[in-house]
PDB file of all heavy atoms in Angstrom:
ATOM      1  N   GLY A 417      -5.003  -4.156   4.373  1.00 97.00           N
ATOM      2  CA  GLY A 417      -5.454  -3.004   5.187  1.00 97.00           C
ATOM      3  C   GLY A 417      -5.660  -3.377   6.618  1.00 97.00           C
ATOM      4  O   GLY A 417      -5.893  -4.572   6.974  1.00 97.00           O
ATOM      5  N   LEU A 418      -5.528  -2.429   7.542  1.00 98.00           N
ATOM      6  CA  LEU A 418      -5.686  -2.720   8.956  1.00 98.00           C
ATOM      7  C   LEU A 418      -6.215  -1.505   9.728  1.00 98.00           C
ATOM      8  O   LEU A 418      -6.102  -0.321   9.255  1.00 98.00           O
ATOM      9  CB  LEU A 418      -4.358  -3.093   9.592  1.00 98.00           C
ATOM     10  CG  LEU A 418      -3.423  -1.958  10.032  1.00 98.00           C
ATOM     11  CD1 LEU A 418      -2.547  -2.411  11.240  1.00 98.00           C
ATOM     12  CD2 LEU A 418      -2.527  -1.563   8.897  1.00 98.00           C
ATOM     13  N   GLU A 419      -6.913  -1.756  10.804  1.00 98.00           N
ATOM     14  CA  GLU A 419      -7.234  -0.743  11.815  1.00 98.00           C
ATOM     15  C   GLU A 419      -6.980  -1.368  13.177  1.00 98.00           C
ATOM     16  O   GLU A 419      -7.494  -2.433  13.533  1.00 98.00           O
ATOM     17  CB  GLU A 419      -8.750  -0.361  11.706  1.00 98.00           C
ATOM     18  CG  GLU A 419      -9.100   0.438  10.493  1.00 98.00           C
ATOM     19  CD  GLU A 419      -8.540   1.859  10.512  1.00 98.00           C
ATOM     20  OE1 GLU A 419      -8.294   2.338  11.659  1.00 98.00           O
ATOM     21  OE2 GLU A 419      -8.353   2.464   9.451  1.00 98.00           O
ATOM     22  N   ALA A 420      -6.137  -0.712  13.971  1.00 98.00           N
ATOM     23  CA  ALA A 420      -5.689  -1.223  15.249  1.00 98.00           C
ATOM     24  C   ALA A 420      -6.083  -0.232  16.365  1.00 98.00           C
ATOM     25  O   ALA A 420      -5.731   0.925  16.309  1.00 98.00           O
ATOM     26  CB  ALA A 420      -4.187  -1.463  15.296  1.00 98.00           C
ATOM     27  N   LEU A 421      -6.901  -0.724  17.311  1.00 97.00           N
ATOM     28  CA  LEU A 421      -7.254   0.039  18.482  1.00 97.00           C
ATOM     29  C   LEU A 421      -7.971  -0.883  19.512  1.00 97.00           C
ATOM     30  O   LEU A 421      -8.194  -2.100  19.194  1.00 97.00           O
ATOM     31  CB  LEU A 421      -8.130   1.280  18.114  1.00 97.00           C
ATOM     32  CG  LEU A 421      -9.373   1.088  17.339  1.00 97.00           C
ATOM     33  CD1 LEU A 421     -10.596   0.753  18.171  1.00 97.00           C
ATOM     34  CD2 LEU A 421      -9.685   2.338  16.486  1.00 97.00           C
ATOM     35  N   ASP A 422      -8.352  -0.385  20.618  1.00 98.00           N
ATOM     36  CA  ASP A 422      -9.012  -1.142  21.619  1.00 98.00           C
ATOM     37  C   ASP A 422     -10.500  -1.182  21.344  1.00 98.00           C
ATOM     38  O   ASP A 422     -11.313  -0.402  21.829  1.00 98.00           O
ATOM     39  CB  ASP A 422      -8.776  -0.588  23.026  1.00 98.00           C
ATOM     40  CG  ASP A 422      -9.367  -1.398  24.170  1.00 98.00           C
ATOM     41  OD1 ASP A 422      -9.814  -2.545  23.858  1.00 98.00           O
ATOM     42  OD2 ASP A 422      -9.386  -0.925  25.270  1.00 98.00           O
ATOM     43  N   PHE A 423     -10.902  -2.175  20.528  1.00 98.00           N
ATOM     44  CA  PHE A 423     -12.339  -2.260  20.111  1.00 98.00           C
ATOM     45  C   PHE A 423     -13.229  -2.751  21.246  1.00 98.00           C
ATOM     46  O   PHE A 423     -14.403  -2.398  21.303  1.00 98.00           O
ATOM     47  CB  PHE A 423     -12.505  -3.215  18.897  1.00 98.00           C
ATOM     48  CG  PHE A 423     -11.995  -2.591  17.608  1.00 98.00           C
ATOM     49  CD1 PHE A 423     -10.740  -2.968  17.110  1.00 98.00           C
ATOM     50  CD2 PHE A 423     -12.767  -1.706  16.916  1.00 98.00           C
ATOM     51  CE1 PHE A 423     -10.284  -2.523  15.898  1.00 98.00           C
ATOM     52  CE2 PHE A 423     -12.296  -1.200  15.732  1.00 98.00           C
ATOM     53  CZ  PHE A 423     -11.041  -1.598  15.177  1.00 98.00           C
ATOM     54  N   ASP A 424     -12.685  -3.610  22.083  1.00 97.00           N
ATOM     55  CA  ASP A 424     -13.563  -4.237  23.164  1.00 97.00           C
ATOM     56  C   ASP A 424     -13.428  -3.651  24.524  1.00 97.00           C
ATOM     57  O   ASP A 424     -13.992  -4.103  25.488  1.00 97.00           O
ATOM     58  CB  ASP A 424     -13.324  -5.768  23.212  1.00 97.00           C
ATOM     59  CG  ASP A 424     -11.873  -6.148  23.437  1.00 97.00           C
ATOM     60  OD1 ASP A 424     -11.052  -5.178  23.689  1.00 97.00           O
ATOM     61  OD2 ASP A 424     -11.512  -7.273  23.377  1.00 97.00           O
ATOM     62  N   GLY A 425     -12.663  -2.517  24.635  1.00 97.00           N
ATOM     63  CA  GLY A 425     -12.610  -1.761  25.866  1.00 97.00           C
ATOM     64  C   GLY A 425     -11.894  -2.424  27.036  1.00 97.00           C
ATOM     65  O   GLY A 425     -12.084  -2.056  28.178  1.00 97.00           O
ATOM     66  N   ASP A 426     -11.009  -3.379  26.751  1.00 97.00           N
ATOM     67  CA  ASP A 426     -10.283  -4.037  27.819  1.00 97.00           C
ATOM     68  C   ASP A 426      -8.842  -3.568  28.034  1.00 97.00           C
ATOM     69  O   ASP A 426      -8.118  -4.146  28.803  1.00 97.00           O
ATOM     70  CB  ASP A 426     -10.297  -5.588  27.648  1.00 97.00           C
ATOM     71  CG  ASP A 426      -9.527  -6.044  26.403  1.00 97.00           C
ATOM     72  OD1 ASP A 426      -9.060  -5.133  25.651  1.00 97.00           O
ATOM     73  OD2 ASP A 426      -9.451  -7.234  26.132  1.00 97.00           O
ATOM     74  N   GLY A 427      -8.477  -2.490  27.340  1.00 97.00           N
ATOM     75  CA  GLY A 427      -7.169  -1.828  27.630  1.00 97.00           C
ATOM     76  C   GLY A 427      -6.036  -2.283  26.681  1.00 97.00           C
ATOM     77  O   GLY A 427      -4.943  -1.727  26.834  1.00 97.00           O
ATOM     78  N   ASP A 428      -6.261  -3.219  25.790  1.00 98.00           N
ATOM     79  CA  ASP A 428      -5.187  -3.629  24.904  1.00 98.00           C
ATOM     80  C   ASP A 428      -5.586  -3.386  23.442  1.00 98.00           C
ATOM     81  O   ASP A 428      -6.701  -2.954  23.146  1.00 98.00           O
ATOM     82  CB  ASP A 428      -4.796  -5.086  25.123  1.00 98.00           C
ATOM     83  CG  ASP A 428      -5.953  -6.087  25.041  1.00 98.00           C
ATOM     84  OD1 ASP A 428      -6.932  -5.742  24.271  1.00 98.00           O
ATOM     85  OD2 ASP A 428      -5.958  -7.109  25.678  1.00 98.00           O
ATOM     86  N   VAL A 429      -4.663  -3.598  22.525  1.00 98.00           N
ATOM     87  CA  VAL A 429      -4.860  -3.250  21.126  1.00 98.00           C
ATOM     88  C   VAL A 429      -5.353  -4.510  20.381  1.00 98.00           C
ATOM     89  O   VAL A 429      -4.698  -5.539  20.297  1.00 98.00           O
ATOM     90  CB  VAL A 429      -3.532  -2.753  20.485  1.00 98.00           C
ATOM     91  CG1 VAL A 429      -3.733  -2.505  19.014  1.00 98.00           C
ATOM     92  CG2 VAL A 429      -3.032  -1.510  21.187  1.00 98.00           C
ATOM     93  N   ASP A 430      -6.554  -4.358  19.796  1.00 98.00           N
ATOM     94  CA  ASP A 430      -7.077  -5.376  18.892  1.00 98.00           C
ATOM     95  C   ASP A 430      -6.853  -4.918  17.454  1.00 98.00           C
ATOM     96  O   ASP A 430      -6.634  -3.716  17.184  1.00 98.00           O
ATOM     97  CB  ASP A 430      -8.613  -5.575  19.128  1.00 98.00           C
ATOM     98  CG  ASP A 430      -8.929  -5.758  20.614  1.00 98.00           C
ATOM     99  OD1 ASP A 430      -8.425  -6.704  21.190  1.00 98.00           O
ATOM    100  OD2 ASP A 430      -9.665  -4.911  21.188  1.00 98.00           O
ATOM    101  N   ILE A 431      -6.888  -5.862  16.495  1.00 98.00           N
ATOM    102  CA  ILE A 431      -6.530  -5.487  15.142  1.00 98.00           C
ATOM    103  C   ILE A 431      -7.528  -6.085  14.158  1.00 98.00           C
ATOM    104  O   ILE A 431      -7.842  -7.304  14.216  1.00 98.00           O
ATOM    105  CB  ILE A 431      -5.139  -5.998  14.774  1.00 98.00           C
ATOM    106  CG1 ILE A 431      -4.066  -5.474  15.812  1.00 98.00           C
ATOM    107  CG2 ILE A 431      -4.728  -5.611  13.365  1.00 98.00           C
ATOM    108  CD1 ILE A 431      -2.720  -6.097  15.708  1.00 98.00           C
ATOM    109  N   ALA A 432      -8.129  -5.230  13.317  1.00 98.00           N
ATOM    110  CA  ALA A 432      -8.994  -5.669  12.248  1.00 98.00           C
ATOM    111  C   ALA A 432      -8.202  -5.606  10.895  1.00 98.00           C
ATOM    112  O   ALA A 432      -7.543  -4.625  10.634  1.00 98.00           O
ATOM    113  CB  ALA A 432     -10.221  -4.816  12.214  1.00 98.00           C
ATOM    114  N   LEU A 433      -8.308  -6.687  10.150  1.00 97.00           N
ATOM    115  CA  LEU A 433      -7.532  -6.831   8.920  1.00 97.00           C
ATOM    116  C   LEU A 433      -8.427  -7.171   7.759  1.00 97.00           C
ATOM    117  O   LEU A 433      -9.422  -7.906   7.876  1.00 97.00           O
ATOM    118  CB  LEU A 433      -6.495  -7.973   9.032  1.00 97.00           C
ATOM    119  CG  LEU A 433      -5.439  -7.841  10.156  1.00 97.00           C
ATOM    120  CD1 LEU A 433      -4.700  -9.168  10.323  1.00 97.00           C
ATOM    121  CD2 LEU A 433      -4.465  -6.677   9.851  1.00 97.00           C
ATOM    122  N   VAL A 434      -8.100  -6.606   6.592  1.00 97.00           N
ATOM    123  CA  VAL A 434      -8.706  -6.993   5.339  1.00 97.00           C
ATOM    124  C   VAL A 434      -7.680  -7.575   4.415  1.00 97.00           C
ATOM    125  O   VAL A 434      -6.523  -7.122   4.435  1.00 97.00           O
ATOM    126  CB  VAL A 434      -9.502  -5.837   4.627  1.00 97.00           C
ATOM    127  CG1 VAL A 434     -10.702  -5.464   5.389  1.00 97.00           C
ATOM    128  CG2 VAL A 434      -8.601  -4.633   4.405  1.00 97.00           C
ATOM    129  N   ALA A 435      -8.091  -8.584   3.624  1.00 95.00           N
ATOM    130  CA  ALA A 435      -7.198  -9.194   2.625  1.00 95.00           C
ATOM    131  C   ALA A 435      -7.909  -9.152   1.306  1.00 95.00           C
ATOM    132  O   ALA A 435      -8.903  -9.835   1.117  1.00 95.00           O
ATOM    133  CB  ALA A 435      -6.858 -10.629   3.039  1.00 95.00           C
TER     134      ALA A 435
END
Side-chain angles (χ1 to χ4, degrees):
L418 83 150
E419 289 290 335
L421 53 89
D422 183 11
F423 287 102
D424 55 8
D426 63 356
D428 53 31
V429 176
D430 310 300
I431 304 171
L433 300 169
V434 290

